[in-house]
Amino acid sequence: MARNKVTVIGAGNVGATTAQRIAEAGLADVVLVDIVEGLPQGKSLDLAEAAPVVGHDARITGTNDYADTADSDIVVVTSGLARQPGMSRDDLLAKNAGIVRAVVEQAAKQSPNAILIIVTNPLDAMCHVALKASGFPRERVLGMAGVLDSARFRTFIAWELGVSVEDTHAFVLGGHGDTMVPLSRYSTVAGIPITELIPADRLKELETRTANGGAEIVKHLKTGSAYYAPSAAAVEMVEAILKDKKKILPCAAYLQGEYGISGLYVGVPCKLGSKGLEQIIEIKLTADEQAALNKSADAVKELCTVIGVA
Ligand code: APR
């Protein structure tokens, strides 16, 4: 019986850390791809040589050739330029659209049945590019944003209350950008809504910090952007799919009428299993929350119009 196969495109910070997490968790064999010759080969050899110490048997291959990615179960796309200080996600738009289009076309040809998980920013717009470039159904083209955004929110909630991060659950809807919608009403600590545990004005501060979570890290690092939490979040989606867990995770999904939105990638609660997106969970929103979600969707639409994938 063969092990699962996951291709990670982009052997930079996010991609290499994603490959490491997948291999070390024993989830699948990993093929690491990059446009730079030697980079994926070197990093995958280094990762392979850690295996005897860490204790896993996953095969890790580094390559510049898409033929090596053939018949992957999942393809994680992290290739692109990372955000620099002072650069918004949206500045990256045109450059990364070209990169994502090129890599998805090649990967989809080699693995026509794969599930794509897009990580490259600006995330929601890149999902549109990938959907179009692959020709795959929406069930097999998902974006990683909500798991990361809600992990950031969970971290801040746990710190605020001095409780375990494992007891905190948080919901974040909308696009991965300044218009994301942290949903405090549906966020809980051991089942207790956080609106009963944290005063409203303080909660607002935590929500704002969450929405600016990526920029806060870029400001510290000065060159480059976050990758430990983004890779962990992508791997949670990989695991949910490979193990057919039916996990409900906030992901960027192509909406077709859900939440009153059509033809756009927006972050919503998704059930992930072996078929990829198995269900979009619709929750009741207040008028304010729906308005914030619509605003977020409008921001995604604007980017898609710019790059002609709306
Ligand atoms: N094909 C394959 N790989 C490519 C291509 C391409 N056409 N273009 C660029 N790459 C590779 C680069 O060579 C680099 O190794 O993508 C990698 C990106 O790595 P980093 O610059 O380290 O960026 P990283 O921090 O990993 O972020 C990647 O994920 O979270 C998002 O905003 C982030 O869009 C960014 C992406």
Side-chain angles (χ1 to χ4, degrees), residues 181-262:
V181 188
L183 273 195
S184 290
R185 245 167 17 96
Y186 282 101
S187 302
T188 58
V189 170
I192 308 161
I194 56 168
T195 43
E196 292 184 19
L197 300 171
I198 301 174
D201 50 346
R202 180 64 185 140
L203 208 43
K204 196 88 220 137
E205 288 173 9
L206 301 186
E207 290 179 1
T208 304
R209 190 174 180 192
T210 301
N212 297 327
E216 185 178 359
I217 289 181
V218 170
K219 212 169 139 201
H220 283 300
L221 294 179
K222 297 184 185 67
T223 56
S225 53
Y227 56 98
Y228 292 114
S231 57
V235 174
E236 187 175 24
M237 292 173 66
V238 168
E239 184 182 29
I241 293 167
L242 290 181
K243 294 187 176 171
D244 192 25
K245 284 177 84 90
K246 318 286 187 199
K247 219 169 182 178
I248 313 288
L249 296 172
C251 306
Y254 189 73
L255 300 189
Q256 293 174 320
E258 296 88 357
Y259 291 94
I261 297 169
S262 258

Side-chain angles (χ1 to χ4, degrees), residues 5-188:
K5 178 171 176 178
V6 176
T7 285
V8 179
I9 305 180
N13 283 335
V14 176
T17 314
T18 299
Q20 178 184 3
R21 292 186 189 285
I22 292 171
E24 292 188 353
L27 286 174
D29 290 339
V30 182
V31 180
L32 189 58
V33 185
D34 203 281
I35 198 165
V36 176
E37 275 178 34
L39 184 69
Q41 289 85 351
K43 288 198 180 181
S44 61
L45 180 59
D46 194 10
L47 284 169
E49 290 168 355
V53 183
V54 178
H56 68 81
D57 291 295
R59 260 187 306 272
I60 309 167
T61 312
T63 184
N64 311 107
D65 181 356
Y66 282 84
D68 295 324
T69 70
D71 299 322
S72 294
D73 299 292
I74 296 180
V75 177
V76 182
V77 177
T78 77
S79 51
L81 305 180
R83 208 155 38 130
Q84 303 294 314
M87 196 188 202
S88 81
R89 283 197 191 88
D90 304 351
D91 293 336
L92 292 173
L93 185 61
K95 280 217 149 66
N96 282 355
I99 293 172
V100 169
R101 190 174 298 121
V103 305
V104 166
E105 274 171 7
Q106 296 181 79
K109 236 179 262 161
Q110 297 292 338
S111 302
N113 299 313
I115 292 166
L116 304 181
I117 298 177
I118 310 303
V119 181
T120 305
N121 278 311
L123 193 272
D124 308 274
M126 293 307 110
C127 291
H128 279 266
V129 172
L131 185 79
K132 220 170 161 183
S134 63
F136 288 0
R138 72 165 182 169
E139 286 72 20
R140 294 198 282 119
V141 186
L142 289 157
M144 188 294 294
V147 178
L148 169 63
D149 295 330
S150 65
R152 288 182 170 144
F153 198 21
R154 289 171 67 187
T155 306
F156 303 144
I157 293 164
W159 286 350
E160 182 71 12
L161 295 171
V163 299
S164 167
V165 289
E166 289 179 49
D167 284 331
T168 64
H169 292 277
F171 243 118
V172 178
L173 292 182
H176 186 48
D178 310 337
T179 57
M180 75 176 73
V181 188
L183 273 195
S184 290
R185 245 167 17 96
Y186 282 101
S187 302
T188 58

